[in-house]
Amino acid sequence: MTIDLLITALVLVAVQLRISASMLEFKPRIILAVLVFVWALLPYPWGPAAWLNSYLSGFSIASGLLAILAIKHRITGYYWLPVGQLRSACVMLVLLALWFYPTSMGSSYADPYAMGFGDFALSTGLLLVGLVGWVTRAYASCLILVAAQLAFRADLLVSDNLWDYLLDPWLVCWAAGWLVRDRLLRSRGECQEDRADATLADHSDAAR
């Protein structure tokens, strides 16, 4: 079993727990999660993790970390990562992807993907960004950057490029979708607060 397969299995379990949250009771949901995890890690061609890695080129360390947090949230009901920190991590990932993917595909003469094979300037820059995240208390962003660098130095994934430890397209799509959902929820909450204030004002006027 490789770390790539383990991360893919964790992502599948996180997705399964999210889908089944409103369909199953707690105990059946956990049993199903264990079965999905074991099934995902079965060797090729029986396990889905191997199939997903062959078609999607695997998931990043960042995906694995967020999958672990999502699983913990669904099991314990407590989310270790505050919403504000998750929001900053998603913003960081999306902004990084908006710069990284177009330039890697030839929109400029720079090739950031080539720098991921061990460029000292890139590693230093990411560590500095992580330090800024720590100072500004964006601990999730800091953890993602540091964990990706450590995993890259330990050569844990099949890929030998730092970017594959930090980003993957599915993670970026999820982060963008989460930010859209977060914005909609906040707008809805603001509308409800405005309505509550207006109702309270009407009652005050009526009382006078």
Short mmCIF file of all heavy atoms in Angstrom, two decimals, residues 47-92:
data_model
loop_
_atom_site.label_atom_id
_atom_site.label_comp_id
_atom_site.label_asym_id
_atom_site.label_seq_id
_atom_site.Cartn_x
_atom_site.Cartn_y
_atom_site.Cartn_z
N GLY A 47 -9.93 -2.75 -6.01
CA GLY A 47 -10.13 -1.54 -5.21
C GLY A 47 -10.30 -0.30 -6.07
O GLY A 47 -9.56 -0.11 -7.05
N PRO A 48 -11.24 0.60 -5.73
CA PRO A 48 -11.45 1.82 -6.54
C PRO A 48 -10.32 2.84 -6.42
O PRO A 48 -10.16 3.67 -7.31
CB PRO A 48 -12.76 2.38 -5.97
CG PRO A 48 -12.85 1.84 -4.59
CD PRO A 48 -12.22 0.48 -4.64
N ALA A 49 -9.54 2.81 -5.33
CA ALA A 49 -8.47 3.79 -5.17
C ALA A 49 -7.44 3.67 -6.30
O ALA A 49 -6.97 4.67 -6.83
CB ALA A 49 -7.79 3.62 -3.82
N ALA A 50 -7.10 2.43 -6.65
CA ALA A 50 -6.13 2.22 -7.74
C ALA A 50 -6.68 2.73 -9.07
O ALA A 50 -5.95 3.32 -9.87
CB ALA A 50 -5.78 0.74 -7.83
N TRP A 51 -7.98 2.51 -9.31
CA TRP A 51 -8.60 3.01 -10.53
C TRP A 51 -8.58 4.53 -10.57
O TRP A 51 -8.24 5.13 -11.61
CB TRP A 51 -10.03 2.50 -10.64
CG TRP A 51 -10.14 1.05 -11.02
CD1 TRP A 51 -10.26 -0.02 -10.18
CD2 TRP A 51 -10.13 0.52 -12.35
NE1 TRP A 51 -10.33 -1.19 -10.91
CE2 TRP A 51 -10.26 -0.89 -12.24
CE3 TRP A 51 -10.03 1.09 -13.62
CZ2 TRP A 51 -10.29 -1.73 -13.35
CZ3 TRP A 51 -10.07 0.26 -14.73
CH2 TRP A 51 -10.18 -1.13 -14.59
N LEU A 52 -8.95 5.16 -9.46
CA LEU A 52 -8.97 6.62 -9.42
C LEU A 52 -7.58 7.20 -9.64
O LEU A 52 -7.41 8.19 -10.36
CB LEU A 52 -9.54 7.10 -8.08
CG LEU A 52 -11.05 7.00 -7.91
CD1 LEU A 52 -11.45 7.41 -6.50
CD2 LEU A 52 -11.78 7.85 -8.93
N ASN A 53 -6.58 6.61 -9.03
CA ASN A 53 -5.22 7.11 -9.22
C ASN A 53 -4.76 6.97 -10.66
O ASN A 53 -4.02 7.82 -11.18
CB ASN A 53 -4.26 6.36 -8.30
CG ASN A 53 -4.30 6.86 -6.88
OD1 ASN A 53 -4.94 7.87 -6.60
ND2 ASN A 53 -3.66 6.17 -5.96
N SER A 54 -5.19 5.91 -11.32
CA SER A 54 -4.77 5.71 -12.71
C SER A 54 -5.41 6.72 -13.65
O SER A 54 -4.82 7.10 -14.66
CB SER A 54 -5.11 4.29 -13.15
OG SER A 54 -6.52 4.08 -13.16
N TYR A 55 -6.63 7.17 -13.30
CA TYR A 55 -7.34 8.12 -14.17
C TYR A 55 -7.15 9.57 -13.75
O TYR A 55 -7.15 10.47 -14.59
CB TYR A 55 -8.84 7.80 -14.19
CG TYR A 55 -9.18 6.59 -15.04
CD1 TYR A 55 -9.49 5.37 -14.45
CD2 TYR A 55 -9.20 6.68 -16.43
CE1 TYR A 55 -9.80 4.26 -15.22
CE2 TYR A 55 -9.51 5.57 -17.21
CZ TYR A 55 -9.82 4.36 -16.60
OH TYR A 55 -10.12 3.26 -17.37
N LEU A 56 -7.00 9.82 -12.44
CA LEU A 56 -6.93 11.19 -11.94
C LEU A 56 -5.52 11.60 -11.53
O LEU A 56 -5.32 12.72 -11.07
CB LEU A 56 -7.85 11.35 -10.72
CG LEU A 56 -9.32 10.97 -10.93
CD1 LEU A 56 -10.10 11.21 -9.64
CD2 LEU A 56 -9.93 11.75 -12.07
N SER A 57 -4.56 10.70 -11.66
CA SER A 57 -3.15 10.97 -11.31
C SER A 57 -2.95 11.22 -9.83
O SER A 57 -1.96 11.83 -9.43
CB SER A 57 -2.62 12.18 -12.11
OG SER A 57 -2.69 11.91 -13.49
N GLY A 58 -3.87 10.77 -8.99
CA GLY A 58 -3.68 10.84 -7.55
C GLY A 58 -4.09 12.16 -6.95
O GLY A 58 -4.32 13.15 -7.65
N PHE A 59 -4.19 12.17 -5.63
CA PHE A 59 -4.55 13.37 -4.87
C PHE A 59 -3.32 13.90 -4.13
O PHE A 59 -2.37 13.17 -3.89
CB PHE A 59 -5.67 13.06 -3.88
CG PHE A 59 -6.98 12.73 -4.53
CD1 PHE A 59 -7.32 11.40 -4.79
CD2 PHE A 59 -7.87 13.72 -4.89
CE1 PHE A 59 -8.53 11.08 -5.39
CE2 PHE A 59 -9.08 13.41 -5.49
CZ PHE A 59 -9.41 12.09 -5.74
N SER A 60 -3.39 15.15 -3.75
CA SER A 60 -2.27 15.81 -3.08
C SER A 60 -2.30 15.55 -1.58
O SER A 60 -3.29 15.05 -1.02
CB SER A 60 -2.31 17.31 -3.35
OG SER A 60 -3.52 17.86 -2.83
N ILE A 61 -1.22 15.94 -0.92
CA ILE A 61 -1.15 15.88 0.54
C ILE A 61 -2.21 16.79 1.14
O ILE A 61 -2.85 16.45 2.16
CB ILE A 61 0.25 16.29 1.03
CG1 ILE A 61 1.30 15.26 0.58
CG2 ILE A 61 0.27 16.44 2.55
CD1 ILE A 61 1.14 13.90 1.22
N ALA A 62 -2.44 17.94 0.53
CA ALA A 62 -3.46 18.86 1.01
C ALA A 62 -4.84 18.20 0.99
O ALA A 62 -5.64 18.36 1.92
CB ALA A 62 -3.47 20.13 0.17
N SER A 63 -5.14 17.44 -0.06
CA SER A 63 -6.42 16.73 -0.13
C SER A 63 -6.53 15.72 1.01
O SER A 63 -7.60 15.56 1.61
CB SER A 63 -6.56 16.01 -1.48
OG SER A 63 -6.72 16.93 -2.53
N GLY A 64 -5.44 15.02 1.29
CA GLY A 64 -5.45 14.05 2.37
C GLY A 64 -5.71 14.69 3.72
O GLY A 64 -6.48 14.18 4.53
N LEU A 65 -5.07 15.84 3.98
CA LEU A 65 -5.27 16.54 5.25
C LEU A 65 -6.70 17.01 5.42
O LEU A 65 -7.32 16.82 6.47
CB LEU A 65 -4.32 17.73 5.34
CG LEU A 65 -2.83 17.41 5.46
CD1 LEU A 65 -2.01 18.70 5.39
CD2 LEU A 65 -2.53 16.68 6.76
N LEU A 66 -7.26 17.61 4.36
CA LEU A 66 -8.63 18.09 4.45
C LEU A 66 -9.62 16.93 4.54
O LEU A 66 -10.67 17.06 5.19
CB LEU A 66 -8.94 18.97 3.23
CG LEU A 66 -8.18 20.30 3.20
CD1 LEU A 66 -8.45 21.05 1.91
CD2 LEU A 66 -8.59 21.17 4.39
N ALA A 67 -9.30 15.80 3.90
CA ALA A 67 -10.17 14.63 4.02
C ALA A 67 -10.19 14.11 5.46
O ALA A 67 -11.25 13.73 5.98
CB ALA A 67 -9.70 13.54 3.06
N ILE A 68 -9.03 14.09 6.11
CA ILE A 68 -8.97 13.66 7.51
C ILE A 68 -9.81 14.58 8.40
O ILE A 68 -10.56 14.11 9.28
CB ILE A 68 -7.50 13.63 8.00
CG1 ILE A 68 -6.74 12.51 7.29
CG2 ILE A 68 -7.43 13.45 9.51
CD1 ILE A 68 -5.25 12.52 7.57
N LEU A 69 -9.71 15.89 8.18
CA LEU A 69 -10.51 16.83 8.96
C LEU A 69 -12.00 16.62 8.72
O LEU A 69 -12.81 16.69 9.66
CB LEU A 69 -10.11 18.26 8.60
CG LEU A 69 -8.72 18.71 9.04
CD1 LEU A 69 -8.44 20.11 8.54
CD2 LEU A 69 -8.60 18.65 10.56
N ALA A 70 -12.39 16.37 7.46
CA ALA A 70 -13.79 16.15 7.14
C ALA A 70 -14.31 14.87 7.79
O ALA A 70 -15.43 14.84 8.31
CB ALA A 70 -13.98 16.09 5.62
N ILE A 71 -13.50 13.82 7.78
CA ILE A 71 -13.90 12.56 8.42
C ILE A 71 -14.06 12.75 9.92
O ILE A 71 -15.04 12.27 10.52
CB ILE A 71 -12.86 11.46 8.11
CG1 ILE A 71 -12.89 11.12 6.62
CG2 ILE A 71 -13.12 10.21 8.95
CD1 ILE A 71 -11.74 10.23 6.17
N LYS A 72 -13.12 13.44 10.54
CA LYS A 72 -13.20 13.70 11.97
C LYS A 72 -14.46 14.49 12.31
O LYS A 72 -15.14 14.23 13.31
CB LYS A 72 -11.96 14.46 12.43
CG LYS A 72 -11.91 14.72 13.93
CD LYS A 72 -10.64 15.45 14.29
CE LYS A 72 -10.55 15.67 15.80
NZ LYS A 72 -11.65 16.53 16.30
N HIS A 73 -14.79 15.45 11.48
CA HIS A 73 -15.98 16.26 11.69
C HIS A 73 -17.25 15.41 11.63
O HIS A 73 -18.16 15.56 12.46
CB HIS A 73 -16.03 17.37 10.66
CG HIS A 73 -17.33 18.10 10.61
ND1 HIS A 73 -17.82 18.82 11.68
CD2 HIS A 73 -18.26 18.21 9.63
CE1 HIS A 73 -18.99 19.35 11.36
NE2 HIS A 73 -19.28 18.99 10.13
N ARG A 74 -17.31 14.51 10.64
CA ARG A 74 -18.51 13.69 10.47
C ARG A 74 -18.65 12.65 11.57
O ARG A 74 -19.76 12.23 11.90
CB ARG A 74 -18.46 12.99 9.11
CG ARG A 74 -18.56 13.95 7.92
CD ARG A 74 -19.89 14.65 7.89
NE ARG A 74 -19.90 15.72 6.90
CZ ARG A 74 -20.92 16.56 6.74
NH1 ARG A 74 -21.98 16.44 7.50
NH2 ARG A 74 -20.85 17.51 5.83
N ILE A 75 -17.54 12.23 12.15
CA ILE A 75 -17.59 11.20 13.20
C ILE A 75 -17.83 11.80 14.57
O ILE A 75 -18.66 11.32 15.35
CB ILE A 75 -16.29 10.37 13.20
CG1 ILE A 75 -16.20 9.54 11.90
CG2 ILE A 75 -16.24 9.45 14.41
CD1 ILE A 75 -14.91 8.76 11.76
N THR A 76 -17.11 12.87 14.90
CA THR A 76 -17.19 13.45 16.24
C THR A 76 -18.17 14.61 16.34
O THR A 76 -18.58 14.97 17.45
CB THR A 76 -15.81 13.94 16.69
OG1 THR A 76 -15.39 15.03 15.84
CG2 THR A 76 -14.78 12.82 16.60
N GLY A 77 -18.53 15.20 15.20
CA GLY A 77 -19.39 16.37 15.23
C GLY A 77 -18.65 17.65 15.54
O GLY A 77 -19.25 18.73 15.58
N TYR A 78 -17.35 17.55 15.74
CA TYR A 78 -16.53 18.73 16.05
C TYR A 78 -15.54 18.96 14.93
O TYR A 78 -14.82 18.04 14.54
CB TYR A 78 -15.79 18.55 17.37
CG TYR A 78 -14.82 19.66 17.68
CD1 TYR A 78 -15.27 20.91 18.09
CD2 TYR A 78 -13.44 19.46 17.55
CE1 TYR A 78 -14.38 21.94 18.37
CE2 TYR A 78 -12.55 20.49 17.82
CZ TYR A 78 -13.02 21.72 18.23
OH TYR A 78 -12.13 22.74 18.48
N TYR A 79 -15.52 20.18 14.41
CA TYR A 79 -14.60 20.51 13.32
C TYR A 79 -13.40 21.24 13.91
O TYR A 79 -13.53 22.36 14.41
CB TYR A 79 -15.30 21.39 12.27
CG TYR A 79 -14.69 21.28 10.91
CD1 TYR A 79 -14.72 20.08 10.21
CD2 TYR A 79 -14.06 22.36 10.31
CE1 TYR A 79 -14.15 19.97 8.95
CE2 TYR A 79 -13.50 22.26 9.05
CZ TYR A 79 -13.54 21.06 8.38
OH TYR A 79 -12.97 20.95 7.14
N TRP A 80 -12.25 20.57 13.87
CA TRP A 80 -11.04 21.14 14.47
C TRP A 80 -10.64 22.45 13.80
O TRP A 80 -10.08 23.34 14.44
CB TRP A 80 -9.92 20.12 14.34
CG TRP A 80 -8.59 20.65 14.81
CD1 TRP A 80 -8.15 20.74 16.09
CD2 TRP A 80 -7.54 21.18 13.98
NE1 TRP A 80 -6.89 21.29 16.13
CE2 TRP A 80 -6.49 21.56 14.85
CE3 TRP A 80 -7.38 21.36 12.62
CZ2 TRP A 80 -5.32 22.11 14.38
CZ3 TRP A 80 -6.21 21.91 12.14
CH2 TRP A 80 -5.19 22.29 13.02
N LEU A 81 -10.96 22.59 12.53
CA LEU A 81 -10.53 23.75 11.77
C LEU A 81 -11.63 24.82 11.78
O LEU A 81 -12.72 24.59 11.27
CB LEU A 81 -10.22 23.34 10.32
CG LEU A 81 -9.58 24.38 9.42
CD1 LEU A 81 -8.21 24.77 9.95
CD2 LEU A 81 -9.45 23.84 8.00
N PRO A 82 -11.38 25.99 12.38
CA PRO A 82 -12.38 27.06 12.35
C PRO A 82 -12.70 27.47 10.91
O PRO A 82 -11.86 27.36 10.01
CB PRO A 82 -11.69 28.20 13.11
CG PRO A 82 -10.65 27.53 13.96
CD PRO A 82 -10.20 26.35 13.16
N VAL A 83 -13.93 27.96 10.72
CA VAL A 83 -14.38 28.32 9.38
C VAL A 83 -13.48 29.39 8.77
O VAL A 83 -13.17 29.35 7.58
CB VAL A 83 -15.84 28.79 9.42
CG1 VAL A 83 -16.29 29.32 8.06
CG2 VAL A 83 -16.75 27.65 9.84
N GLY A 84 -13.05 30.34 9.57
CA GLY A 84 -12.20 31.41 9.04
C GLY A 84 -10.88 30.88 8.49
O GLY A 84 -10.40 31.34 7.45
N GLN A 85 -10.29 29.92 9.19
CA GLN A 85 -9.03 29.34 8.72
C GLN A 85 -9.25 28.49 7.48
O GLN A 85 -8.41 28.47 6.57
CB GLN A 85 -8.40 28.52 9.84
CG GLN A 85 -7.92 29.34 11.01
CD GLN A 85 -7.16 28.51 12.02
OE1 GLN A 85 -6.53 27.52 11.68
NE2 GLN A 85 -7.23 28.91 13.27
N LEU A 86 -10.36 27.73 7.44
CA LEU A 86 -10.66 26.96 6.24
C LEU A 86 -10.90 27.88 5.05
O LEU A 86 -10.47 27.60 3.93
CB LEU A 86 -11.90 26.09 6.48
CG LEU A 86 -12.35 25.22 5.30
CD1 LEU A 86 -11.23 24.28 4.86
CD2 LEU A 86 -13.59 24.42 5.67
N ARG A 87 -11.56 29.01 5.31
CA ARG A 87 -11.80 29.97 4.23
C ARG A 87 -10.49 30.51 3.68
O ARG A 87 -10.30 30.61 2.46
CB ARG A 87 -12.67 31.11 4.76
CG ARG A 87 -13.10 32.11 3.70
CD ARG A 87 -13.94 33.22 4.31
NE ARG A 87 -15.16 32.70 4.89
CZ ARG A 87 -15.50 32.87 6.17
NH1 ARG A 87 -14.68 33.53 7.00
NH2 ARG A 87 -16.63 32.38 6.63
N SER A 88 -9.54 30.85 4.58
CA SER A 88 -8.26 31.38 4.11
C SER A 88 -7.47 30.32 3.36
O SER A 88 -6.79 30.62 2.37
CB SER A 88 -7.45 31.90 5.30
OG SER A 88 -7.11 30.85 6.19
N ALA A 89 -7.56 29.05 3.80
CA ALA A 89 -6.87 27.97 3.09
C ALA A 89 -7.44 27.78 1.70
O ALA A 89 -6.69 27.60 0.72
CB ALA A 89 -6.97 26.67 3.89
N CYS A 90 -8.77 27.84 1.57
CA CYS A 90 -9.40 27.68 0.25
C CYS A 90 -9.04 28.84 -0.66
O CYS A 90 -8.79 28.65 -1.86
CB CYS A 90 -10.92 27.57 0.41
SG CYS A 90 -11.48 26.01 1.12
N VAL A 91 -9.01 30.05 -0.11
CA VAL A 91 -8.62 31.22 -0.91
C VAL A 91 -7.18 31.05 -1.41
O VAL A 91 -6.87 31.32 -2.58
CB VAL A 91 -8.77 32.52 -0.09
CG1 VAL A 91 -8.11 33.69 -0.81
CG2 VAL A 91 -10.24 32.81 0.16
N MET A 92 -6.28 30.61 -0.52
CA MET A 92 -4.89 30.40 -0.90
C MET A 92 -4.79 29.37 -2.03
O MET A 92 -4.07 29.58 -3.03
CB MET A 92 -4.07 29.93 0.29
CG MET A 92 -2.60 29.67 -0.03
SD MET A 92 -1.75 28.67 1.21
CE MET A 92 -2.45 27.04 0.88
#
